[in-house]
Amino acid sequence: MGHKEDLLEGAKSCLLEKGYARTTARDIVAASGTNLASIGYHYGSKEALLQQAFLALTEEWGDRVGPAGSGEDRKALPADPYERFHTVWDQVIAAAGASRPVWKLQTEVVTRLDDDEKLREAIKEPQREGRLGMAEVFLGLDPEADPERARVAGLLCQALATGVMIQWMVDPETAPTADDLTAGLKVLMGEG
């Protein structure tokens, strides 16, 4: 790896360990084995590097907890929408313990958005893409074939994911399971 990649890995490590606000440029340099000048050279600023590291962590989390990576993984999901929804949520919830550092970081980042317009702008497009990815994975919708259905379904999935994440952070003992979420969806659909 070169300095650019080392810096990104160091920043990701610092974000998970110290959080967004408490990570300093010196922390990143120490974690990456690089130098302060490398941050400016490769990323322009510490803030730009932290934004990139945050987005990379979020994307990596999505790849780990669900079958979002390959087309083969997606094809292996059940065709029945309720079974598919349950299967994907089961995977996300099974990773809740390991996901906690990323979820904690995400909640911290959200609290910074009112005061950091560059951060807000940096995460807008990835958030939109994430919604479409969630519609595809959770519900089997093709964003290219039916963009509006995928958009609104992605909005719902993202809202649900945020709520589930917060519930698991606050009280894992009473947080929803995949069974709970699927049963709740059926009630909403008038089928439960």
Side-chain angles (χ1 to χ4, degrees):
M1 277 197 300
H3 275 207
K4 185 173 184 175
E5 296 81 13
D6 292 339
L7 285 166
L8 185 62
E9 291 304 312
K12 290 180 347 189
S13 175
C14 289
L15 285 173
L16 293 174
E17 182 183 320
K18 300 183 112 197
Y20 204 96
R22 293 186 338 199
T23 295
T24 67
R26 292 191 188 285
D27 294 330
I28 296 167
V29 167
S32 65
T34 61
N35 58 62
L36 284 173
S38 294
I39 294 173
Y41 178 76
H42 290 292
Y43 291 94
S45 68
K46 177 192 86 166
E47 290 73 25
L49 171 56
L50 289 178
Q51 289 168 11
Q52 183 95 18
F54 170 71
L55 294 173
L57 284 167
T58 303
E59 186 175 327
E60 290 167 8
W61 171 82
D63 290 344
R64 275 194 316 272
V65 301
S70 74
E72 291 306 311
D73 289 338
R74 289 185 187 140
K75 289 178 189 172
L77 288 169
D80 176 80
Y82 291 118
E83 288 179 36
R84 181 186 190 103
F85 183 84
H86 185 278
T87 298
V88 175
W89 270 113
D90 204 31
Q91 290 176 266
V92 170
I93 291 169
S99 298
R100 191 172 182 86
V102 175
W103 289 354
K104 183 178 175 185
L105 177 62
Q106 288 176 336
T107 57
E108 180 190 356
V109 166
V110 167
T111 66
R112 299 179 60 81
L113 295 180
D114 282 346
D115 301 319
D116 191 336
E117 188 61 33
K118 287 183 180 178
L119 179 59
R120 178 193 306 271
E121 288 301 315
I123 66 175
K124 278 184 179 179
E125 188 57 32
Q127 178 176 268
R128 290 178 186 134
E129 291 171 13
R131 287 179 192 142
L132 296 177
M134 291 177 93
E136 185 173 10
V137 172
F138 280 78
L139 302 171
L141 296 173
D142 181 351
E144 290 183 20
D146 200 342
E148 183 56 17
R149 283 186 74 218
R151 184 188 72 81
V152 297
L155 287 167
L156 179 63
C157 288
Q158 192 172 54
L160 185 57
T162 302
V164 169
M165 173 187 75
I166 296 297
Q167 290 180 64
W168 270 92
M169 289 182 70
V170 171
D171 185 7
E173 292 178 22
T174 63
T177 65
D179 289 340
D180 294 331
L181 294 169
T182 305
L185 178 60
K186 288 179 180 179
V187 168
L188 286 172
M189 298 304 295
E191 298 178 21

